[in-house]
Amino acid sequence: EPEVTQTPSHQVTQMGQEVILRCVPISNHLYFYWYRQILGQKVEFLVSFYNNEISEKSEIFDDQFSVERPDGSNFTLKIRSTKLEDSAMYFCASSVPRTGYNQPQHFGDGTRLSIL
Amino acid sequence: AQKITQTQPGMFVQEKEAVTLDCTYDTSDPSYGLFWYKQPSSGEMIFLIYQGSYDQQNATEGRYSLNFQKARKSANLVISASQLGDSAMYFCAIEAAGNKLTFGGGTRVLVKP
């Protein structure tokens, strides 16, 4: 069964550095998402992406964050000037074209980001 | 805005028994979808089951079923014949206007042998 692939599985970075989290969505999916989960907390929406542009973003997704689909397969999340509070599990998800709300978002296994 | 409430932070269930995980939601949108995801200790998010707001019948998927009570705004997950591998966090989520999921705080299930 096709799956969403995320790399790396674990990223350790010094505070203030930039990180890029990578995702390969399922090939026929057109909607892409990033979520984050701070340890022990709920999963929070960051951004959704469709047709090569951001379709929605949360208040968490400020100027420190950016997303890109640099080619036909990868979907990346860049975090600039990382802070301690950026430490979390970051999930990429994708879904097929929507005709309603009946298509689940399929999640990758996540990238655990640790800021030191 | 959408909101999901899961009032049970943790539950024990005996192997082979059924367990019900509560989920209540709040949205002003007439059209929405409700989803349940499982998160094992390894951390990945696994889609389990979906219920649409206009679906007349409760969703079922193998050992998972959804007790959807629209008037009460609840979408409880029922896991029948619990297995040791069902031990995990379970998240209820809603998707309404826009295409983002709003998650609840989760319920941790521990299946006892």
Side-chain angles (χ1 to χ4, degrees), chain A residues 11 13-21 64 66 77-82 113 115:
Chain A
Q11 175 82 44
T13 301
Q14 290 289 329
M15 185 171 58
Q17 297 296 306
E18 174 182 288
V19 296
I20 297 177
L21 310 183
Q64 185 192 3
S66 62
L77 174 69
K78 182 188 291 186
I79 310 174
R80 289 177 284 273
S81 301
T82 50
L113 178 63
I115 306 299

Side-chain angles (χ1 to χ4, degrees), chain A residues 35-37 41-45 91 107, chain B residues 45 91 103-104:
Chain A
Y35 293 83
R36 81 173 184 188
Q37 184 182 30
Q41 299 186 21
K42 66 171 68 175
V43 178
E44 302 173 289
F45 169 78
F91 290 103
F107 283 70
Chain B
M45 295 286 286
F91 290 97
F103 286 83

Side-chain angles (χ1 to χ4, degrees), chain A residues 31 33 35 37 41-43 45 48 55-56 89 91 98 101-109, chain B residues 4 31-33 35 37 39 43-45 47 50 91 95-101 103-105:
Chain A
Y31 289 81
Y33 313 84
Y35 293 83
Q37 184 182 30
Q41 299 186 21
K42 66 171 68 175
V43 178
F45 169 78
S48 58
S55 51
E56 188 172 355
M89 180 76 95
F91 290 103
R98 326 304 296 278
Y101 300 108
N102 59 348
Q103 297 296 337
Q105 296 179 22
H106 294 268
F107 283 70
D109 287 350
Chain B
I4 293 283
S31 179
Y32 51 88
F35 301 83
Y37 286 84
Q39 186 177 41
E44 68 268 32
M45 295 286 286
F47 165 71
Y50 157 85
F91 290 97
E95 183 175 354
N99 53 3
K100 67 180 183 184
L101 288 172
F103 286 83

Side-chain angles (χ1 to χ4, degrees), chain A:
Chain A
E1 184 173 329
E3 57 184 26
V4 176
T5 305
Q6 289 186 245
T7 54
S9 57
H10 192 188
Q11 175 82 44
V12 181
T13 301
Q14 290 289 329
M15 185 171 58
Q17 297 296 306
E18 174 182 288
V19 296
I20 297 177
L21 310 183
R22 303 181 191 280
C23 170
V24 178
I26 295 173
S27 61
N28 65 330
H29 286 188
L30 298 180
Y31 289 81
F32 314 117
Y33 313 84
W34 284 101
Y35 293 83
R36 81 173 184 188
Q37 184 182 30
I38 294 172
L39 188 63
Q41 299 186 21
K42 66 171 68 175
V43 178
E44 302 173 289
F45 169 78
L46 291 178
V47 65
S48 58
F49 192 86
Y50 171 70
N51 200 26
N52 284 321
E53 62 182 23
I54 291 173
S55 51
E56 188 172 355
K57 60 183 181 180
S58 72
E59 58 189 23
I60 302 170
F61 194 89
D62 59 20
D63 292 343
Q64 185 192 3
F65 296 87
S66 62
V67 289
E68 190 178 34
R69 189 156 162 82
D71 53 42
S73 60
N74 290 284
F75 179 52
T76 61
L77 174 69
K78 182 188 291 186
I79 310 174
R80 289 177 284 273
S81 301
T82 50
K83 299 173 282 193
L84 294 176
E85 52 264 40
D86 294 327
S87 296
M89 180 76 95
Y90 288 81
F91 290 103
C92 174
S94 68
S95 64
V96 295
R98 326 304 296 278
T99 56
Y101 300 108
N102 59 348
Q103 297 296 337
Q105 296 179 22
H106 294 268
F107 283 70
D109 287 350
T111 293
R112 183 167 299 283
L113 178 63
S114 300
I115 306 299
L116 304 179

